[in-house]
Amino acid sequence: PGPGLPGGVTASAVSLLLAGPVIDPLETVISALCRDDVRSHAGAKQRAIEVLNRLESAAPCLPMAVGPRLAQALLKQPSIEPPLAASRILDRGLAFLLRGTSRALYEGSWELAYTDWPDGGSLSRLSKNLANHRGVAVVLVRACSAESEVLGAVIDGLQDTAGGVTGNTGSYLIALWPTLETFRCTGKGKQFAYLNSTNKKQPRGMGFGGDHTGFRMWFSPELTQVQVSQTDLTYVTGPLLPHTSSCTISRMEVWVVSPPSPQPRMVSKQSSNSSVHSGNQRSGQKKK
């Protein structure tokens, strides 16, 4: 989309973005957290309550970023963010919002594993690329529509199982734009994710929720179309697309988020001296 619309821009449009107005990331976050039915008639107080309630349920980790971002602004330090500049779906506001939906996304290290540009969609390439990555897979698509809806899935350990189930109870579906909705596991079903690029005896494509006869979210083998429904046993009920049950894919990306590297254990000077002193005592006892 052009400058000012959520979802990022192509590389050729960067110069236009620099020359024109840039959408405030905070406006993107607030807009996605507030439903259309509340925006139209709610006062400021009711809108604030709506945003806070949805923030707690849909993006529980988002408040964790407020303190560090304020400190960076006050100290005039550059913001520390994952390498999402390559995205053609996420702008800064949507990336900030997406990371807030789980601790794994907020704290992890992001790496772009698959895109449908510049060579178009390829299920086999997606499968091969995921085989080389381990972590939480973030599948994102932007719809080719007037609202440029952004939706997808967050799946821990997404792999091509040639017809089997992959993922776990930490997986969830997400509608990111124009209104944030997260559909987490209900505990009633185990069809977390499905990816099959080779087995011709099973449906070829990628799906989430539902079952082999009808997935909650289904990607065609060409990765050009997405079909969705509002309910299944695995994920919480709700609309992934606001006004339709299918869309043409404008852009598709798959990111893999790996756990943060463990921090080296800091040994205080006092404990270090105590260890040395204790060692000297044992050495002296042996000499006696």
Side-chain angles (χ1 to χ4, degrees):
L5 290 179
V9 295
T10 61
S12 60
V14 171
S15 59
L16 293 176
L17 251 182
L18 294 176
V22 179
I23 190 169
D24 187 340
L26 183 59
E27 291 183 10
T28 300
V29 172
I30 297 299
S31 181
L33 285 171
C34 193
R35 288 193 179 97
D36 287 332
D37 56 359
V38 175
R39 292 189 195 117
S40 58
H41 62 270
K45 184 176 180 180
Q46 185 177 351
R47 188 168 182 260
I49 293 173
E50 165 74 7
V51 169
L52 289 174
N53 290 339
R54 290 177 55 71
L55 178 65
E56 183 178 354
S57 63
C61 295
L62 201 60
M64 296 170 58
V66 175
R69 293 304 292 267
L70 282 175
Q72 290 163 4
L74 292 172
L75 297 174
K76 297 182 179 181
Q77 295 178 341
S79 61
I80 302 174
E81 297 180 349
L84 296 174
S87 178
R88 298 189 181 182
I89 294 178
L90 300 172
D91 64 7
R92 289 179 60 197
L94 291 181
F96 187 70
L97 193 62
L98 175 60
R99 291 179 61 214
T101 60
S102 78
R103 182 176 290 272
L105 301 192
Y106 178 74
E107 296 180 343
S109 176
W110 289 62
E111 183 179 358
L112 187 58
Y114 169 86
T115 69
D116 62 356
W117 41 267
D119 299 322
S122 169
L123 187 64
S124 60
R125 179 158 56 89
L126 169 61
S127 175
K128 291 178 181 178
N129 288 6
L130 284 174
N132 297 324
H133 293 82
R134 291 293 183 272
V136 177
V138 182
V139 180
L140 294 172
V141 296
R142 190 178 70 221
C144 184
S145 66
E147 289 192 271
S148 292
E149 296 96 340
V150 178
L151 65 155
V154 179
I155 307 294
D156 190 359
L158 179 61
Q159 294 290 313
D160 190 336
T161 56
V165 176
T166 182
N168 57 35
T169 55
S171 306
Y172 56 97
L173 308 182
I174 185 168
L176 189 60
W177 182 263
T179 304
L180 176 66
E181 299 279 1
T182 55
F183 308 99
R184 303 185 189 272
C185 289
T186 63
K188 299 177 181 178
K190 296 183 179 181
Q191 187 72 35
F192 309 112
Y194 171 98
L195 177 57
N196 174 29
S197 65
T198 57
N199 187 357
K200 296 181 180 180
K201 295 182 180 181
Q202 299 288 344
R204 291 184 64 252
M206 181 167 60
F208 307 97
D211 54 41
H212 285 36
T213 61
F215 292 89
R216 174 76 174 275
M217 180 191 297
W218 174 251
F219 290 75
S220 65
E222 302 79 21
L223 300 181
T224 57
Q225 296 284 331
V226 176
Q227 293 182 334
V228 299
S229 62
Q230 292 200 19
T231 183
D232 76 297
L233 287 177
T234 303
Y235 297 107
V236 171
T237 298
L240 284 157
L241 288 169
H243 307 300
T244 183
S245 60
S246 65
C247 70
T248 299
I249 295 175
S250 172
R251 283 283 182 262
M252 179 175 180
E253 299 172 356
V254 179
W255 296 79
V256 174
V257 185
S258 56
S261 301
Q263 297 295 323
R265 185 177 179 183
M266 300 298 292
V267 179
S268 66
K269 186 175 181 180
Q270 181 178 358
S271 61
S272 177
N273 290 339
S274 297
S275 299
V276 172
H277 179 67
S278 176
N280 290 339
Q281 284 184 328
R282 289 194 296 269
S283 177
Q285 291 174 356
K286 289 181 180 179
K287 289 181 180 179
K288 291 179 182 180

